[in-house]
């Protein structure tokens, strides 16, 4: 039996809300997936030194300086994401297809006839950076220790706790110590667990960019980015107890977390073309400064129902700086019946520099930021892409590696992408189609103090994207 001191119910609400945050929140909004126009996806995102695509505003805005005419584009498609879980040979899988928005935007090109600054461009776009839709199911059987024993009993701070109110945890008042003794039938026995995780949401960015072309040798660009998005994570956890192989009952623990946020960042880039067939680029992204609204819900269902929404919590988050280097080789030109490009992009970001800002809760802010420093480290991303032009037909393929942001001894969450695409360009319009397959493997822990029972997760993402564009 364990002891607790009777505390004010309001204190539980405060603690419950603060504990809803964790160090992975900034990471979700600091990593960008494989999304955008179909031409961008088909080349695995390796457009940093090539430009000529509106998605360049998100990576190296100097690439917008390659435009020689104005353009409007619209992209959409389908995202098919699924996860397979494996715990000690016990497997479960689930998936959740969804509609995928890619981008909408225009580039206005101004030919000012100047000797030096030949072209100036202004662009406005709304691009999707990340799609969070996913569904995961995890099954674990024949456990010797329960969620109640490992995680709940040591964290109960009030008699108003939902596990007490629902009857999962029992209390007895001890007059000699003026405290309550807590215990649960779920402290002993064998246990089967099942958990369902549903995720949905997106991260879009409004971009306003200005770029220019100096003598067809130097290209410069800058972007004001205003990212905005939402994320919903719904979990349903059920634990069944067995004694002598006979079930004695089960309870359900459900949670929901709703995040909505908006932020601001700046991107600066340059591309140099020393000779016609080589392009060298570089870009720097400032951190994104997010303002976040966080709503959290939890309930427990056993002998009775107990739970509800916690007070809305507001705080800030910051993503890391990003540094990019780009290289491209161009064979032929737009007038050549057969031509092509090969391009490589390198990106560096130190995820240990992510942070929370909580003006009214300095304790939680410090704790979370310390956790970020202990969990994350710098990572490198690599994109390699190629394009073959056959008159008006374009064939594309690429590979992308998104490095592991976690310290190696903690987890491995690197992503690998293989992409391909095809496109057709007419005199005033174009159509592109692309496919991307991404995969990652990582370890998952059902709850704190459960590091000895990790679950192996394998997540795959299949994205099909179409882009329609008009030149004028």
């Amino acid at each position: 039996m364990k002891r607790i001191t009777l505390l004010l119910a309001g204190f539980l609400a405060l603690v419950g809300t603060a504990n809803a945050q964790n160090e992975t929140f900034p990471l979700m909004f600091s990593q960008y997936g494989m999304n955008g126009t179909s031409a961008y996806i088909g080349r695995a995102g390796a457009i940093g030194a090539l430009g000529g695509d509106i998605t360049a505003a998100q990576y190296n805005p100097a690439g917008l300086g390659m435009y020689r005419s104005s353009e409007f584009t619209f992209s959409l498609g389908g995202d098919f994401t699924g996860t397979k879980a494996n715990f000690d040979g016990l497997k479960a899988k689930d998936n959740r297809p969804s509609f995928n928005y890619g981008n909408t935007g225009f580039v206005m090109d101004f030919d000012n006839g100047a000797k030096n600054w030949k072209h100036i461009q202004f662009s406005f776009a709304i691009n999707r950076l990340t799609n969070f839709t996913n569904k995961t199911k995890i099954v674990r059987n024949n456990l010797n220790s329960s969620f109640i024993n490992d995680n709940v009993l040591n964290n109960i701070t009030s008699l108003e706790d939902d596990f007490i109110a629902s009857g999962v945890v029992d209390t007895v008042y001890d007059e000699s110590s003026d405290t309550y003794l807590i215990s649960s039938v779920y402290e002993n026995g064998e246990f089967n667990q099942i958990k369902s995780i549903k995720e949905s949401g997106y991260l879009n960015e409004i971009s306003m960019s200005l770029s220019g072309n100096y003598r067809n040798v130097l290209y410069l660009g800058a972007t004001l980015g205003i990212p905005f998005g939402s994320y919903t994570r719904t979990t349903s956890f059920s634990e069944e107890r067995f004694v002598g192989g006979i079930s004695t009952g089960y309870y359900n623990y459900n949670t929901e977390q709703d995040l909505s946020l908006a932020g601001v960042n700046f991107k600066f880039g340059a591309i140099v073309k020393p000779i016609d067939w080589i392009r060298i680029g570089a870009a720097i992204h400032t951190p994104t400064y997010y303002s976040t609204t966080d709503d959290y819900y939890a309930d427990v269902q056993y002998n009775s129902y107990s739970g509800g929404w916690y007070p809305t919590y507001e705080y800030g988050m910051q993503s890391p700086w990003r540094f990019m280097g780009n290289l491209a080789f161009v064979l032929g030109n737009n007038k050549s019946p057969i031509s092509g490009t090969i391009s490589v992009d390198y990106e560096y970001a130190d995820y240990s520099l992510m942070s929370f800002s909580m003006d009214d809760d300095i304790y939680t802010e410090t704790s979370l930021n310390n956790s970020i420093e202990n969990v994350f480290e710098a990572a490198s991303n690599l994109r390699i892409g190629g394009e073959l032009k056959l008159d008006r037909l374009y064939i594309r393929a690429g590979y992308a590696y998104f490095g592991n942001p976690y310290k190696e001894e903690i987890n491995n969450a690197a992503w690998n992408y293989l992409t391909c695409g095809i496109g057709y360009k007419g005199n005033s319009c174009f159509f592109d189609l692309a496919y991307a397959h991404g995969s990652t493997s990582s370890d998952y822990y059902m709850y704190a103090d459960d590091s000895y029972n990790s679950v192996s997760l394998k997540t795959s993402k299949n994205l099909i994207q179409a882009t329609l564009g008009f030149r004028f």
Side-chain angles (χ1 to χ4, degrees), residues 142-144 146 184-192 239-250 302:
N142 304 319
L143 301 176
N144 295 321
S146 71
S184 173
V185 295
Y186 286 87
E187 288 185 77
N188 301 294
E190 285 194 347
F191 305 94
N192 290 353
E239 185 166 57
E240 185 176 13
R241 176 176 180 257
F242 291 84
V243 176
I246 300 175
S247 173
T248 64
Y250 69 93
Y302 190 52

Coordinates of all heavy atoms in Angstrom, one line a residue, residues 142-144 146 184-192 239-250 302:
N142 N 0.6 -11.1 -21.5 CA 1.3 -11.9 -20.5 C 2.4 -11.0 -19.8 O 3.5 -11.5 -19.6 CB 2.0 -13.1 -21.1 CG 1.0 -14.0 -21.8 OD1 -0.1 -14.2 -21.3 ND2 1.3 -14.5 -23.0
L143 N 2.0 -9.8 -19.4 CA 2.9 -9.0 -18.7 C 2.9 -9.2 -17.2 O 1.8 -9.5 -16.6 CB 2.6 -7.5 -18.9 CG 2.7 -7.0 -20.4 CD1 2.2 -5.6 -20.5 CD2 4.1 -7.2 -20.9
N144 N 4.0 -9.1 -16.5 CA 4.0 -9.3 -15.0 C 3.8 -8.1 -14.2 O 3.6 -8.1 -13.0 CB 5.4 -9.9 -14.6 CG 5.6 -11.3 -15.2 OD1 4.6 -12.1 -15.3 ND2 6.8 -11.6 -15.7
S146 N 1.8 -4.1 -14.3 CA 0.7 -3.3 -14.9 C 1.0 -1.8 -15.0 O 1.9 -1.3 -14.4 CB -0.6 -3.5 -14.1 OG -0.5 -2.7 -12.9
S184 N -4.5 -1.2 -5.4 CA -5.3 -1.6 -6.5 C -5.1 -3.1 -6.7 O -4.0 -3.6 -6.5 CB -4.8 -0.8 -7.8 OG -5.5 -1.3 -8.9
V185 N -6.2 -3.7 -7.2 CA -6.1 -5.1 -7.6 C -5.2 -5.3 -8.8 O -4.7 -6.4 -9.0 CB -7.5 -5.7 -7.9 CG1 -8.4 -5.7 -6.6 CG2 -8.1 -4.9 -9.0
Y186 N -4.9 -4.2 -9.5 CA -4.0 -4.2 -10.7 C -2.6 -4.2 -10.3 O -1.7 -4.0 -11.2 CB -4.4 -3.1 -11.7 CG -5.7 -3.4 -12.4 CD1 -6.9 -3.1 -11.9 CD2 -5.7 -4.1 -13.6 CE1 -8.1 -3.3 -12.5 CE2 -6.9 -4.4 -14.3 CZ -8.1 -4.0 -13.7 OH -9.3 -4.3 -14.4
E187 N -2.2 -4.2 -9.1 CA -0.8 -4.3 -8.7 C -0.2 -5.7 -8.9 O 1.0 -5.8 -9.0 CB -0.7 -3.9 -7.2 CG -0.9 -2.4 -6.9 CD -0.6 -2.1 -5.5 OE1 0.6 -2.0 -5.1 OE2 -1.6 -1.9 -4.7
N188 N -1.1 -6.7 -8.9 CA -0.6 -8.1 -9.0 C -1.4 -8.9 -10.0 O -2.6 -8.6 -10.2 CB -0.6 -8.8 -7.6 CG 0.2 -8.1 -6.5 OD1 1.4 -8.0 -6.6 ND2 -0.5 -7.5 -5.5
G189 N -0.7 -9.9 -10.6 CA -1.4 -10.7 -11.6 C -0.7 -10.7 -12.9 O 0.5 -10.2 -13.0
E190 N -1.3 -11.2 -13.9 CA -0.8 -11.1 -15.3 C -1.7 -10.2 -16.0 O -2.9 -10.1 -15.8 CB -0.8 -12.5 -16.0 CG 0.4 -13.4 -15.5 CD 0.5 -14.6 -16.4 OE1 -0.4 -14.8 -17.3 OE2 1.6 -15.3 -16.3
F191 N -1.1 -9.5 -17.0 CA -1.9 -8.4 -17.7 C -1.7 -8.5 -19.2 O -0.7 -8.7 -19.7 CB -1.4 -7.0 -17.1 CG -1.5 -6.9 -15.7 CD1 -0.3 -7.2 -14.9 CD2 -2.6 -6.6 -15.0 CE1 -0.4 -7.2 -13.5 CE2 -2.7 -6.5 -13.6 CZ -1.5 -6.8 -12.9
N192 N -2.9 -8.2 -19.9 CA -2.9 -8.0 -21.3 C -3.2 -6.5 -21.5 O -4.1 -6.0 -20.9 CB -3.9 -8.9 -22.0 CG -3.5 -10.3 -22.0 OD1 -2.4 -10.7 -21.6 ND2 -4.4 -11.2 -22.4
E239 N -6.5 -2.3 -20.2 CA -5.7 -3.3 -19.5 C -6.6 -4.3 -18.8 O -7.5 -3.9 -18.1 CB -4.8 -2.6 -18.5 CG -3.8 -3.5 -17.8 CD -2.7 -2.7 -17.1 OE1 -3.1 -1.9 -16.2 OE2 -1.5 -3.0 -17.4
E240 N -6.3 -5.6 -19.1 CA -7.1 -6.7 -18.5 C -6.2 -7.5 -17.6 O -5.1 -7.8 -17.9 CB -7.6 -7.6 -19.7 CG -8.6 -8.7 -19.2 CD -9.1 -9.5 -20.3 OE1 -8.6 -9.3 -21.5 OE2 -10.1 -10.3 -20.1
R241 N -6.8 -7.8 -16.4 CA -6.0 -8.6 -15.4 C -6.5 -10.0 -15.4 O -7.7 -10.4 -15.5 CB -6.3 -7.9 -14.0 CG -5.6 -8.7 -12.9 CD -5.9 -7.9 -11.6 NE -5.3 -8.6 -10.4 CZ -6.0 -9.3 -9.5 NH1 -7.3 -9.4 -9.6 NH2 -5.4 -9.8 -8.5
F242 N -5.5 -10.9 -15.2 CA -5.7 -12.4 -15.1 C -5.1 -12.9 -13.9 O -4.0 -12.6 -13.5 CB -5.1 -13.1 -16.4 CG -5.8 -12.8 -17.7 CD1 -5.4 -11.7 -18.4 CD2 -6.8 -13.6 -18.1 CE1 -6.1 -11.4 -19.6 CE2 -7.4 -13.4 -19.4 CZ -7.0 -12.2 -20.1
V243 N -5.8 -13.8 -13.2 CA -5.3 -14.5 -12.0 C -5.6 -16.0 -12.3 O -6.8 -16.4 -12.5 CB -6.0 -14.1 -10.7 CG1 -5.5 -14.9 -9.6 CG2 -5.7 -12.6 -10.5
G244 N -4.5 -16.8 -12.3 CA -4.7 -18.2 -12.6 C -5.3 -18.5 -14.0 O -6.0 -19.5 -14.2
G245 N -5.0 -17.6 -14.9 CA -5.5 -17.7 -16.3 C -6.9 -17.3 -16.5 O -7.4 -17.4 -17.6
I246 N -7.6 -16.8 -15.4 CA -9.0 -16.3 -15.5 C -9.0 -14.8 -15.5 O -8.4 -14.2 -14.6 CB -9.8 -17.0 -14.4 CG1 -9.8 -18.5 -14.5 CG2 -11.2 -16.4 -14.5 CD1 -10.5 -19.2 -13.4
S247 N -9.8 -14.2 -16.3 CA -9.9 -12.8 -16.4 C -10.7 -12.3 -15.2 O -11.8 -12.8 -14.8 CB -10.6 -12.3 -17.7 OG -10.8 -10.9 -17.6
T248 N -10.2 -11.2 -14.5 CA -10.9 -10.6 -13.4 C -11.5 -9.2 -13.7 O -12.1 -8.6 -12.9 CB -10.0 -10.4 -12.2 OG1 -9.0 -9.5 -12.5 CG2 -9.4 -11.8 -11.8
G249 N -11.3 -8.8 -15.0 CA -11.9 -7.5 -15.5 C -10.9 -6.7 -16.1 O -9.7 -7.0 -16.2
Y250 N -11.4 -5.5 -16.6 CA -10.5 -4.6 -17.3 C -11.0 -3.2 -17.1 O -12.1 -3.0 -16.7 CB -10.4 -4.9 -18.8 CG -11.7 -4.7 -19.6 CD1 -11.9 -3.5 -20.2 CD2 -12.7 -5.6 -19.7 CE1 -13.0 -3.2 -20.9 CE2 -13.9 -5.4 -20.3 CZ -14.0 -4.2 -21.0 OH -15.2 -3.9 -21.6
Y302 N -14.3 2.3 -15.4 CA -14.2 1.1 -14.7 C -15.5 0.8 -14.0 O -16.5 0.6 -14.7 CB -13.0 1.1 -13.7 CG -12.7 -0.2 -13.1 CD1 -12.4 -1.3 -13.9 CD2 -12.5 -0.3 -11.7 CE1 -12.1 -2.5 -13.3 CE2 -12.2 -1.5 -11.1 CZ -11.9 -2.6 -12.0 OH -11.6 -3.8 -11.4

